[in-house]
Amino acid sequence: MSIQFTNTMTRRKEEFIPLEPGKVKMYVCGPTVYNYIHIGNSRPAITFDTLRRYLKYRGYEVTFVQNITDVDDKLIRVANEEGVTVKEVADRYTDAFNQDLHNMNILPPDIQPRVMQTIPEIIEFIEGLIEKGFAYESEGDVYFRTGRFGDYGKLSHQPLDDLQAGARVEINEKKEHPLDFALWKAAKDKEVSWSSPWGDGRPGWHIECSAMALKFLGEQIDIHAGGTDLVFPHHENEIAQSECYTGKVFARYWLHNGMLNINNEKMSKSLGNFVLARDLIQQFGGQLIRFFMLQGHYRNPINFSDELLEQAANSLERMKTAYHNLGHRLETAREVEPNGQAEQQAQIISDLRNRFIKEMDDDLNTANAITVLFEVVKEANQYMTSQNVGVQEIRAYKELLLELTDVLGLILEQEEELLDSDIDALIVERTEARASRNFARADEIRDLLAAKGIVLEDTPQGVRWRRK
Ligand SMILES: [Zn+2]
C-alpha cells in the first residue's frame, strides 16, 4: 500500500511519491506573531505535525520548515500602540507560539526562519523576478506582474479572467493591474525598514515563504501545507513567485485543512467567540485539544464546543484507562507456554496495526485511525478478562497502544503539566520553606518545578517563573 493525499492542485487523491526516495521536504506556513494564536490556528499545527510524525513512522526522513512572519502591518501597529520595537513584539509572541505548540505535543520545526533574518534572500529573489520581467518597481514598491504568469489561479482553480471579474476594484495608482501584489513595500514614516535597490522598505507577505522555501529546502519541495484560507491568494502567489523565479514546479502536493467553527459559527472577533489556544490549554490541557482535532478528517470543517470537548475527554480517558490497566496487569500476568491463544492474539494485534496504517495512508484519515485505536482498546480489555492471560500478549497490546498513539502525538503516560495555579502555590510554599530555613524542602520544590520545565528567577520583587 502506498500513502495517498488529496492534492488541492489536482483536486484528486494521489499516490505520494517524494522527489527523492525516502526523503520528504515539507513547508507549512506559520503564524504572524502579533498576538497569541487562537484555537483555529492550532488545527494546521496539530494536523501537519501528525502528518510529519506519520511520514517518519513510515520510514521517511522529513525536513520540516515553518516560517514566522515577524514583520507586517499588524505587528507594526501593536509595536506602536505599546511603544516597543517590532522585534520585541515578535519575540514575545514567537515564544508564546512555541510554548503553545509544545503544550500540544507538536514537535518544533527543523527550521523556523523569520523574515527579519531572511531579508537578503528576499531582496535577491525580487531582483531575479524583476530581471525576468515578472515584477516591476513603482514609487519604491515592487509588484508581481500577475498577468505574466499563465498558470495564475491553478491552485484555487480560478482562471485569471474570473479573478479579475471578482477582484475588488482597488484604487492603487502604483499597480499596473488590480491583481498584482506587493513583493516589497516602501517604508512609511518611522516604520521598521531595510535598505534595498528600491529604497528603504520591507517585504510583502507572500514573498517570504517563497524565499524561505528556496533557501532551506531548494527549488522544489514535496509537501506544502496550511489552512484552506491560505489557498488564495497566499499560496497562489507563492506558486507564481517561485515558479517564475526557478522555472520549475514549486510544490508537488498541496494539503489544506478545513476551518474550525465554534458552536457552529465562524470564529471572529466581532462575534465575540474568539478563543485563544493557550486559554483552552490552560483549562483542558493540550492533549485533549490535540485529540479533539484529530477526531475529524483534516480536510473537513470541524465544530468546536464545550460539549464536544467533554465527549472527547471521556474517550481519551477510556484509552488512558485501558493503557494503565494493561500496565497493572503486566505486573500480575505470568509467562505462559505458547498456545493457540497467543497465536490468535498476535494475529489480532498485527491486523489492528495494519488497519491503522491503512487508514493513515488514506489521506491521513486520523478519524478512522482513532476508531481503530478504540478497537485496540476493546480487544485489549477483552483479553485482560480472559483466562490464562499471557505476559507477552499484555505487553504487545500495551506496546501497540503506545506505538500508535505516539504516531498521533498523543501521550498516554505523561503526567499532566502543572497549571499556573499549582505553580503559584508551590512557589508560595517554597518561599515559606526558605523563610523557616527549611532549605531541603525549598530545593525539593525548585527541582520539582525544574523537572516540569518551570524556571524560577529570584528578583527584588519576589520570585518570577516562566515555562521553558
Ligand atoms: Zn506561506
Side-chain angles (χ1 to χ4, degrees):
M1 254 304 278
S2 64
I3 300 178
Q4 312 256 326
F5 296 130
T6 300
N7 190 348
T8 307
M9 185 63 82
T10 57
R11 288 176 165 171
R12 278 188 299 124
K13 227 182 252 185
E14 291 175 12
E15 184 181 353
F16 176 62
I17 305 167
L19 289 152
E20 202 182 324
K23 291 190 176 169
V24 181
K25 295 194 278 186
M26 196 173 165
Y27 188 99
V28 179
C29 296
T32 302
V33 283
Y34 71 103
N35 198 346
Y36 298 110
I37 61 161
H38 59 69
I39 187 65
N41 302 134
S42 67
R43 191 173 190 200
I46 291 167
T47 299
F48 300 117
D49 176 63
T50 306
L51 173 59
R52 176 188 187 186
R53 286 171 182 270
Y54 185 62
L55 289 167
K56 285 185 176 179
Y57 177 71
R58 295 286 265 125
Y60 290 99
E61 191 186 304
V62 184
T63 309
F64 187 100
V65 178
Q66 182 173 51
N67 64 307
I68 293 285
T69 303
D70 60 356
V71 188
D72 99 320
D73 290 338
K74 293 191 231 64
L75 271 138
I76 291 170
R77 198 193 63 223
V78 173
N80 288 342
E81 279 167 10
E82 294 186 8
V84 297
T85 64
V86 169
K87 187 171 181 302
E88 279 176 90
V89 175
D91 285 348
R92 183 198 314 157
Y93 292 116
T94 302
D95 286 351
F97 173 65
N98 286 333
Q99 186 63 56
D100 288 345
L101 294 196
H102 170 77
N103 285 335
M104 293 180 285
N105 199 26
I106 293 165
L107 301 169
D110 294 310
I111 306 159
Q112 189 177 55
R114 293 171 59 157
V115 181
M116 288 199 194
Q117 297 154 356
T118 319
I119 301 290
E121 289 82 359
I122 292 174
I123 290 176
E124 195 184 322
F125 205 114
I126 298 172
E127 282 184 304
L129 287 173
I130 293 176
E131 264 167 44
K132 293 183 164 83
F134 292 110
Y136 55 93
E137 191 265 339
S138 175
E139 297 171 38
D141 290 352
V142 179
Y143 294 97
F144 186 86
R145 193 171 270 131
T146 313
R148 272 293 307 275
F149 180 51
D151 280 342
Y152 194 78
K154 69 176 170 178
L155 182 70
S156 51
H157 303 270
Q158 307 173 88
L160 198 58
D161 291 345
D162 287 9
L163 285 169
Q164 277 170 20
R168 198 156 41 91
V169 183
E170 198 187 328
I171 309 203
N172 186 342
E173 305 273 301
K174 293 182 180 181
K175 289 191 197 178
E176 290 176 2
H177 191 280
L179 283 180
D180 292 354
F181 56 90
L183 301 172
W184 187 263
K185 297 176 176 181
K188 295 183 200 118
D189 283 351
K190 289 191 233 157
E191 232 175 48
V192 59
S193 65
W194 290 264
S195 56
S196 80
W198 321 287
D200 289 352
R202 61 188 165 92
W205 172 36
H206 314 297
I207 191 69
E208 67 180 90
C209 289
S210 285
M212 288 169 180
L214 178 68
K215 180 176 179 182
F216 296 104
L217 295 171
E219 292 183 336
Q220 293 191 287
I221 64 177
D222 296 296
I223 297 173
H224 198 312
T228 46
D229 53 335
L230 294 184
V231 173
F232 185 84
H234 184 55
H235 287 163
E236 202 74 74
N237 291 349
E238 281 188 39
I239 292 169
Q241 297 160 161
S242 294
E243 301 197 352
C244 289
Y245 186 76
T246 67
K248 291 178 184 157
V249 169
F250 174 39
R252 313 225 304 175
Y253 302 88
W254 288 87
L255 271 62
H256 292 101
N257 65 275
M259 295 291 99
L260 178 132
N261 295 319
I262 295 204
N263 297 318
N264 292 311
E265 278 181 322
K266 198 177 174 227
M267 180 165 50
S268 78
K269 278 197 170 128
S270 56
L271 284 171
N273 62 356
F274 204 77
V275 183
L276 295 180
R278 59 177 36 215
D279 291 341
L280 282 177
I281 291 167
Q282 179 69 27
Q283 204 178 344
F284 300 103
Q287 278 294 300
L288 180 57
I289 294 163
R290 182 169 187 123
F291 177 71
F292 176 83
M293 297 283 182
L294 296 176
Q295 277 187 319
H297 192 284
Y298 76 92
R299 287 174 49 82
N300 296 336
I302 195 168
N303 186 39
F304 187 91
S305 70
D306 285 354
E307 202 185 329
L308 291 170
L309 201 62
E310 206 172 301
Q311 284 172 19
N314 291 335
S315 302
L316 187 59
E317 202 47 47
R318 200 147 52 88
M319 203 185 306
K320 285 185 177 174
T321 305
Y323 183 77
H324 287 296
N325 289 346
L326 284 165
H328 184 69
R329 272 316 285 269
L330 207 51
E331 289 161 17
T332 53
R334 57 198 167 79
E335 302 280 351
V336 289
E337 291 295 313
N339 55 32
Q341 205 191 8
E343 242 169 66
Q344 190 197 353
Q345 289 302 319
Q347 188 60 49
I348 291 172
I349 286 168
S350 150
D351 287 350
L352 285 166
R353 179 186 285 108
N354 289 338
R355 281 180 50 207
F356 178 90
I357 291 172
K358 193 163 159 267
E359 297 296 354
M360 292 292 278
D361 273 357
D362 183 11
D363 200 17
L364 201 76
N365 196 332
T366 55
N368 287 357
I370 286 175
T371 305
V372 176
L373 263 179
F374 280 104
E375 283 183 43
V376 177
V377 167
K378 197 180 107 197
E379 290 290 348
N381 284 341
Q382 215 164 10
Y383 181 71
M384 277 190 281
T385 61
S386 63
Q387 288 183 334
N388 287 328
V389 172
V391 77
Q392 268 171 0
E393 287 69 36
I394 292 286
R395 189 173 292 131
Y397 273 117
K398 190 166 178 265
E399 281 170 4
L400 182 67
L401 264 184
L402 202 60
E403 174 187 324
L404 303 186
T405 48
D406 187 52
V407 172
L408 300 179
L410 298 171
I411 302 169
L412 295 174
E413 243 175 340
Q414 191 200 36
E415 293 168 49
E416 287 299 317
E417 293 219 356
L418 288 178
L419 299 175
D420 288 1
S421 53
D422 297 335
I423 297 167
D424 292 337
L426 281 165
I427 288 172
V428 169
E429 196 193 331
R430 177 171 168 267
T431 308
E432 285 165 3
R434 290 216 299 191
S436 59
R437 307 191 65 77
N438 184 355
F439 296 115
R441 178 60 186 155
D443 288 349
E444 199 177 279
I445 292 171
R446 178 178 274 263
D447 293 348
L448 187 133
L449 290 168
K452 299 272 185 183
I454 309 297
V455 183
L456 299 185
E457 281 157 15
D458 291 307
T459 74
Q461 290 79 35
V463 180
R464 292 223 189 118
W465 64 269
R466 62 185 167 83
R467 292 178 197 270
K468 240 194 299 196

